[in-house]
Amino acid sequence: MKKFLAVLLAVLVVAFSFAACSNSDKTSDETTKAAADSDLAYIQEKGNLVIGITYFEPMDYINENGELTGFEVEFGKAVCEKLGVEPKFQEISWDAKETELAAKNIDCIWNGMTITPERQEAMSVSNPYLNNKQVIICKAENAAAFAVAGGLDGKTIVAEKESAGEETINDEANADFFAKATYVAVDSMKNAMMEVKAGTADAAVIDYVTGIGSLGEGSDYADLEIVDKSFADEQYGIAFRKGSDITEKVNAAIKELMEDGTLEKIAEKYNLTEQLVR
């Protein structure tokens, strides 16, 4: 009898252990599935938001102390604090941004990205937070000539590849300005400005926000000027993966930061107060 009870007890222990392991595995599987189905759960589980950026002032740049700073950097940190995750900034090639996002090499594109219908169709885009427009920059002595139709005929003009600047140059509505110019794509707005400064390009089309943050007395581009000619108004947004459930949370965080004055304080530091979407 004792031998029978011992065997029965051993069987029950094994069965209980198996059930416990099964439940544990099931819980683990459910967590993994939830993370796979939910972008928010995936990001919270790993504890960070990987933010895809390129370097350009005043949004994301390295300051004189060798530190990453800028409007988007401070803005991203403030939103991540609301979400309870750490921001992780990762430099990307702008023309590969959607591929990087889909492959989960980054979790969002947060880098002065112009909202377009095509991007809203391909990705989940936040509410707009900054107003922008495309502008021409050139050396100061050419600004008046380049402000009129035909002024860029025979000139070389540059813009960041796959950017709103490139779209502006290729837009048929702007053919009177750009059709007879030679267009060369570069890999960043910073390099577009450097080409103009070096004289290897006559003009560049860049974001107005970049212009007011990068040009002017005391800057590296003090001899460059914004031409008195602008194009269609735009707005910046943050792009997440298609169908992402984190977008709504980020929109709520942005609203809170606007209401409590945090976003306005950040914008003021970078001369962007007037560009805020209110």
Side-chain angles (χ1 to χ4, degrees), residues 73-143:
V73 173
E74 292 198 39
F75 185 19
K77 288 178 178 179
V79 168
C80 284
E81 186 176 349
K82 293 280 186 184
L83 298 176
V85 297
E86 291 294 320
K88 183 178 178 181
F89 298 93
Q90 182 168 307
E91 186 180 13
I92 59 171
S93 173
W94 191 244
D95 60 332
K97 57 189 177 297
E98 292 184 37
T99 301
E100 296 274 21
L101 183 64
K104 290 192 172 182
N105 295 328
I106 58 174
D107 297 315
C108 63
I109 304 164
W110 195 337
N111 190 66
M113 189 199 75
T114 300
I115 299 173
T116 66
E118 294 77 17
R119 286 171 178 164
Q120 289 176 311
E121 177 65 26
M123 299 175 285
S124 178
V125 180
S126 73
N127 293 335
Y129 59 89
L130 271 186
N131 293 306
N132 184 47
K133 58 186 175 183
Q134 295 302 302
V135 294
I136 302 169
I137 64 161
C138 64
K139 290 190 174 179
E141 62 265 26
N142 297 324

Side-chain angles (χ1 to χ4, degrees), residues 177-197:
F177 266 86
F178 304 117
K180 295 181 180 179
T182 299
Y183 170 59
V184 178
V186 295
D187 62 3
S188 69
M189 279 192 280
K190 180 178 179 180
N191 282 345
M193 292 187 291
M194 289 178 65
E195 294 278 354
V196 179
K197 179 181 178 180

Side-chain angles (χ1 to χ4, degrees), residues 160-185:
E160 182 178 44
K161 188 177 181 182
E162 298 290 332
S163 70
E166 183 176 77
E167 291 174 9
T168 297
I169 292 169
N170 292 329
D171 191 336
E172 290 185 6
N174 302 321
D176 57 338
F177 266 86
F178 304 117
K180 295 181 180 179
T182 299
Y183 170 59
V184 178

